[in-house]
Amino acid sequence: MRHGLAAVVAASSLASAGTAQAPGSETSSPQKQFEQASAALVGGRPAEALAGFEAVEKRLAGSKSAKSLGVVRTRKGEALLQLGREEEARIATEQGLAALPASDPSLREDRFLSQILLGRIAERNLDYGQALIRYQGAEAIAATPAERGMAMRGLVQTGMFLNGPEALAAADRAIALVTAQAPGEKALLAQMRSLRGRVLLNLGRHGEARDELRKAVGMLGGLTTRVDAADLGARSDMSLALLLLGDEEGAREYLAYTGAGRIKQGFGPGADMKPPPCGEDGLQPHDVAVVQFSIRDNGEVGAVSPIYASRQGESAIAFARAVRGWSWQPSEVAAIPPLLRALTRVELRCSSAVDRPDPLELLEADALPWFETKGVTDFSVSDQPSARTFEPLKAELSRREAVEGAASLRSLPILIALAHHPLTGYADRAAYLRRALPIAVQAGAPPELEALIKLWLTLAAHAARETRRTLDLQPLFADPVFAKSPRAAAALRLVTEGQIADLKDRTRSRQLLQQVVATPGLAPNDPLRVGALLRLSSVELAAGDAASARSAFTATGLSGQQCALVDPGPAKASGNMSSNDFPNEALRWGFEGFTTIEHDVLADGRVSEPRAVVSYPPFVFSRASTRGIGRFRFDPSYRPDGSIGCGGKSTRIRYVLPDS
């Protein structure tokens, strides 16, 4: 029994769509070209196949062979999809399907293929509603067991979150089909049982899910040291079912046999690993999901699919969409074993953090209009994952420097973008900024931009350990560029105070904050001044001067709720994680991992509502992390009503086993 699209493609023929062939012209006919391209597609040579299909498409364009052209475009869509060109694949396949009338029974197979392709494209794009419609259309016209199996797999995976009962019925049909038509195909039956177990998990029927998943693991050979993608998925699902049933020891055993968390420091937090914001697509703080994804060699996330969500609906898909934008350093990816790189899972919750104004970001906003006056624009890489933009940015920098010279003003925004790219190391960040600074000065950049680059450079050089261990911003106070701009001077003092706050030098903190508040030319409602007043109120409170704290807070003009949105947040006063926080069961099974904890800080400095928003492996370290963070204490924040001093503060914790 053959499975997958290759079986369908191999059986197709352009002649079935009515293409005529002249006697003796087979070697150069569109039919022959089509067959050669189809063979390349089945043989795993999509680039060759695409070239062949495009050649046939060109020959048929403008002819009366509309149906033949539709068949070619369908196959072209599959080649494009294999090459990762999803949007082009969608367009070609939709064009092909539109030319294949349902009244022609000879085109049934081509219509089926089109529906499957469009379903796969929608599934990859996490448009599960559209994918479900396409898979339903495919099942309605499927004629062979292989075709019905492909359609039902799609129905189960995309339907389990949108309509669990219907997805369960599709899984039952798939299992019955395989049992009747291919009883010897244990791996295929195990895949279907694993999918059925996953549906039951998402329906909250955890005991039934455990029983179904145990069958799947058994069909794949049980808990052995041999692990492939099917084993990894079934064992991970079984571990999840046991965790949801409260059997933590059993769950850890199954998870241990996946290899997740057992690669010595081989998988760590990405460079750009943010959970989705609460409120997006209806996400609530109590929602939890498990998302599976792959990581490409360049650090970009590849295939993404939700595995489990604590409630039915779009929440699972919203979590998966957030994962698509994550990135890793390519050097980090190379250290991850290939199987784990192809199938990794994380536990997710939404983030309630708010974007607070950063002094340097505010200064950057001042500098941006100058680029427009110079006719210089950024290289557009918006709405793309960080890993996908890294090489194009470097290539664009090389192109601009080759055309206009290394000192070209048009290189400046690219240098700045690269200096801030999540995948740029600290040493390279400093190098990019060193190249950017003389360009900005030579071009007569406004003092805000020059000051900003100098601040960035100092911070990057320190992070790269090019300077002494303690960050020293004092030399910048003597730089005349900071005296030319009230906002640049205020930003420098706020960044410096942020470093002083961690050292608990409240006298120096108060002095710097008072200087920001008194900066000539700084508007009363300037966010830099408001932020300084908020921080000053907390410093005065810590010093025991309640009257001065109240006065500074009143001068902000903010309510207690508004202040939490602009306050940079209190510094940690005490508390650390220790080896005692390493969960015993994780230590026993040899797990490593990480978790990002998000929590509020009450006005008195106590931690409130800690939540694990990103955890790897799922559910292994979440509880220990939230418990440990609860011991932390932060500097008190002045709030007139004693409400939350800081909402959505984030702390990342890594769990690393001691060297043996």
Side-chain angles (χ1 to χ4, degrees), residues 249-411:
E249 182 62 23
R252 301 290 186 268
E253 180 181 11
Y254 274 88
L255 190 61
Y257 277 91
T258 67
R262 294 175 62 106
I263 308 302
K264 184 65 177 173
Q265 301 184 43
F267 181 77
D272 191 13
M273 202 174 188
K274 297 178 181 178
C278 293
E280 183 175 275
D281 294 319
L283 290 179
Q284 299 299 318
H286 59 269
D287 290 335
V288 60
V290 174
V291 176
Q292 178 176 290
F293 59 98
S294 64
I295 308 175
R296 295 171 178 156
D297 291 345
N298 69 346
E300 178 185 351
V301 168
V304 180
S305 59
I307 299 298
Y308 166 78
S310 54
R311 62 182 172 91
Q312 287 273 288
E314 294 281 347
S315 66
I317 300 165
F319 281 113
R321 287 196 191 104
V323 173
R324 291 181 70 178
W326 293 358
S327 298
W328 275 259
Q329 291 280 0
S331 59
E332 294 174 341
V333 175
I336 305 172
L339 185 57
L340 184 59
R341 192 189 313 166
L343 200 157
T344 298
R345 291 183 177 184
V346 290
E347 167 195 353
L348 288 175
R349 291 173 181 80
C350 64
S351 170
S352 59
V354 294
D355 291 329
R356 295 176 174 83
D358 178 275
L360 300 188
E361 290 178 359
L362 292 170
L363 204 57
E364 187 175 8
D366 289 348
L368 287 177
W370 176 75
F371 282 105
E372 296 180 7
T373 66
K374 295 291 185 178
V376 178
T377 57
D378 230 342
F379 179 55
S380 179
V381 291
S382 60
D383 301 324
Q384 295 185 39
S386 296
R388 192 177 299 174
T389 65
F390 194 42
E391 293 303 324
L393 274 171
K394 291 195 290 186
E396 179 67 9
L397 177 63
S398 297
R399 189 191 69 79
R400 292 190 184 188
E401 289 182 334
V403 173
E404 303 176 28
S408 166
L409 178 58
R410 282 175 42 78
S411 297

Side-chain angles (χ1 to χ4, degrees), residues 559-582:
S559 67
Q561 289 73 30
Q562 289 174 314
C563 68
L565 300 181
V566 298
D567 195 338
K572 189 177 71 171
S574 64
N576 282 297
M577 302 290 288
S578 72
S579 58
N580 294 329
D581 293 300
F582 208 112

Side-chain angles (χ1 to χ4, degrees), residues 359-360 363 455 482 486-496 516 528:
L360 300 188
L363 204 57
L455 267 167
F482 289 91
R487 301 198 87 206
L492 173 60
R493 290 188 171 96
L494 281 176
V495 172
T496 303
V516 173
L528 293 168

Side-chain angles (χ1 to χ4, degrees), residues 98-452:
L100 305 177
S103 58
D104 188 340
S106 69
L107 297 173
R108 181 209 60 81
E109 199 169 344
D110 303 289
R111 293 196 304 275
F112 170 83
L113 175 61
S114 297
Q115 295 284 17
I116 287 290
L117 285 175
L118 291 170
R120 287 173 61 198
I121 293 168
E123 184 178 346
R124 287 191 185 187
N125 289 327
L126 297 173
D127 186 354
Y128 276 19
Q130 181 62 27
L132 198 57
I133 292 172
R134 293 300 185 182
Y135 289 134
Q136 288 168 341
E139 186 186 24
I141 59 176
T144 68
E147 290 179 355
R148 288 197 292 271
M150 284 193 292
M152 285 184 284
R153 185 222 60 85
L155 287 172
V156 176
Q157 176 60 41
T158 59
M160 68 176 72
F161 305 104
L162 304 181
N163 192 324
E166 285 191 6
L168 186 61
D172 289 337
R173 294 198 302 276
I175 291 172
L177 173 69
V178 176
T179 302
Q181 300 289 332
E185 295 277 358
K186 285 190 175 182
L188 182 59
L189 185 57
Q191 178 191 9
M192 295 304 179
R193 288 203 175 278
S194 186
L195 279 172
R196 185 177 190 273
R198 201 176 293 168
V199 177
L200 290 166
L201 280 177
N202 283 282
L203 286 171
R205 295 158 61 174
H206 303 150
E208 296 174 72
R210 174 200 56 203
D211 297 341
E212 191 69 65
L213 292 165
R214 183 175 285 127
K215 293 177 185 177
V217 173
M219 289 177 177
L220 292 169
L223 289 179
T224 66
T225 54
R226 181 191 68 84
V227 182
D228 60 16
D231 293 307
L232 202 57
R235 295 174 190 181
S236 297
D237 288 345
M238 182 62 172
S239 173
L240 181 55
L242 292 171
L243 278 171
L244 293 171
L245 287 168
D247 183 359
E248 294 191 6
E249 182 62 23
R252 301 290 186 268
E253 180 181 11
Y254 274 88
L255 190 61
Y257 277 91
T258 67
R262 294 175 62 106
I263 308 302
K264 184 65 177 173
Q265 301 184 43
F267 181 77
D272 191 13
M273 202 174 188
K274 297 178 181 178
C278 293
E280 183 175 275
D281 294 319
L283 290 179
Q284 299 299 318
H286 59 269
D287 290 335
V288 60
V290 174
V291 176
Q292 178 176 290
F293 59 98
S294 64
I295 308 175
R296 295 171 178 156
D297 291 345
N298 69 346
E300 178 185 351
V301 168
V304 180
S305 59
I307 299 298
Y308 166 78
S310 54
R311 62 182 172 91
Q312 287 273 288
E314 294 281 347
S315 66
I317 300 165
F319 281 113
R321 287 196 191 104
V323 173
R324 291 181 70 178
W326 293 358
S327 298
W328 275 259
Q329 291 280 0
S331 59
E332 294 174 341
V333 175
I336 305 172
L339 185 57
L340 184 59
R341 192 189 313 166
L343 200 157
T344 298
R345 291 183 177 184
V346 290
E347 167 195 353
L348 288 175
R349 291 173 181 80
C350 64
S351 170
S352 59
V354 294
D355 291 329
R356 295 176 174 83
D358 178 275
L360 300 188
E361 290 178 359
L362 292 170
L363 204 57
E364 187 175 8
D366 289 348
L368 287 177
W370 176 75
F371 282 105
E372 296 180 7
T373 66
K374 295 291 185 178
V376 178
T377 57
D378 230 342
F379 179 55
S380 179
V381 291
S382 60
D383 301 324
Q384 295 185 39
S386 296
R388 192 177 299 174
T389 65
F390 194 42
E391 293 303 324
L393 274 171
K394 291 195 290 186
E396 179 67 9
L397 177 63
S398 297
R399 189 191 69 79
R400 292 190 184 188
E401 289 182 334
V403 173
E404 303 176 28
S408 166
L409 178 58
R410 282 175 42 78
S411 297
L412 183 58
I414 310 300
L415 287 166
I416 291 174
L418 281 167
H420 287 81
H421 198 282
L423 298 188
T424 300
Y426 290 119
D428 287 340
R429 187 172 299 177
Y432 284 129
L433 291 168
R434 286 193 184 94
R435 292 166 62 184
L437 183 58
I439 297 175
V441 173
Q442 181 65 31
E448 290 80 9
L449 180 57
E450 183 182 342
L452 185 61

Side-chain angles (χ1 to χ4, degrees), residues 633-647:
R633 292 295 180 269
F634 293 80
D635 288 342
S637 302
Y638 181 81
R639 298 293 183 266
D641 55 1
S643 61
I644 289 177
C646 176

